[in-house]
Amino acid sequence: METTVIIGGKPIVIKASLGALALYKRQFNEDYFDLIAKPKKDKDQADGATEITINGFRLIWAMAKAADNTILPPEAWLAEFENTKGFMEALLTAQALILQSADTGKENKKNGSGREKIATERFFATAIKAGIGYAAAWDMTICEFNRLFDEIIGEPQKDWRWATQEDFDKF
């Protein structure tokens, strides 16, 4: 999933994909979904705003890097902007896009929220195990990956049955 945001009058293409999550984790040593799932501690408003700004910039950078591999490292990329007008709108768009890419609509009882914990490594490890591969998974959204994975090794449908020798003999 891609879209264009405007920061400082400059159009930036951002991409919500497993690759963006991997770039975030590799560059900043944190899983983005772990950050947004952390319980909020009692902090003053200024600290909270600073944290949101830093993590937001990191998310936008990772999503931009996923869309365009020629983007500079984070600090050098930030220095390219004359101003950051439009940053908050871009951040809201980026967050909505990444969350939309993760929405499978499936409930899962593996954690207290009714949703399974999302972890970047889990997606790539599963892709490699399933034969999809790292490179193919890089551009997929989380939802696309989950749907493909369900098709590859998902539970058989109710009307499916194991083939018998008689079925093979018919070939």
Side-chain angles (χ1 to χ4, degrees):
M1 303 176 99
E2 284 187 11
T3 195
T4 302
V5 296
I6 309 293
I7 300 176
K10 183 178 178 180
I12 301 159
V13 177
I14 58 173
K15 184 175 190 176
S17 67
L18 292 177
L21 295 175
L23 286 164
Y24 191 101
K25 175 99 184 210
R26 187 181 308 147
Q27 183 69 35
F28 306 111
N29 234 9
E30 293 184 278
D31 196 300
Y32 181 72
F33 286 111
D34 285 349
L35 286 175
I36 63 174
K38 279 183 188 174
K40 304 292 182 225
K41 296 177 183 168
D42 291 332
K43 293 183 178 182
D44 66 35
Q45 198 169 6
D47 284 348
T50 300
E51 187 175 325
I52 289 169
T53 302
I54 291 168
N55 293 334
F57 164 72
R58 290 174 172 182
L59 176 65
I60 292 170
W61 175 84
M63 292 174 74
K65 182 79 170 174
D68 178 3
N69 197 32
T70 64
I71 292 215
L72 297 173
E75 293 78 20
W77 186 66
L78 181 60
E80 291 180 343
F81 295 94
E82 291 180 22
N83 64 64
T84 57
K85 183 179 179 191
F87 171 76
M88 287 311 291
E89 293 85 5
L91 175 56
L92 293 173
T93 300
Q95 287 175 328
L97 196 63
I98 202 85
L99 292 173
Q100 182 183 1
S101 82
D103 186 15
T104 63
K106 290 164 68 173
E107 291 294 326
N108 194 318
K109 295 183 175 117
K110 290 191 177 180
N111 72 11
S113 69
R115 294 256 183 214
E116 185 172 355
K117 181 181 184 298
I118 297 171
T120 304
E121 295 92 352
R122 183 181 139 251
F123 288 113
F124 283 104
T126 304
I128 292 165
K129 275 176 128 176
I132 296 169
Y134 186 85
W138 185 267
D139 288 325
M140 291 181 171
T141 66
I142 297 166
C143 185
E144 289 169 339
F145 175 78
N146 281 336
R147 287 183 182 155
L148 180 61
F149 188 75
D150 285 348
E151 289 297 318
I152 292 172
I153 62 170
E155 293 295 319
Q157 295 179 357
K158 291 178 186 176
D159 59 338
W160 288 7
R161 63 177 177 80
W162 289 100
T164 64
Q165 185 60 47
E166 185 180 336
D167 294 324
F168 285 105
D169 292 342
K170 289 179 183 176
F171 288 109

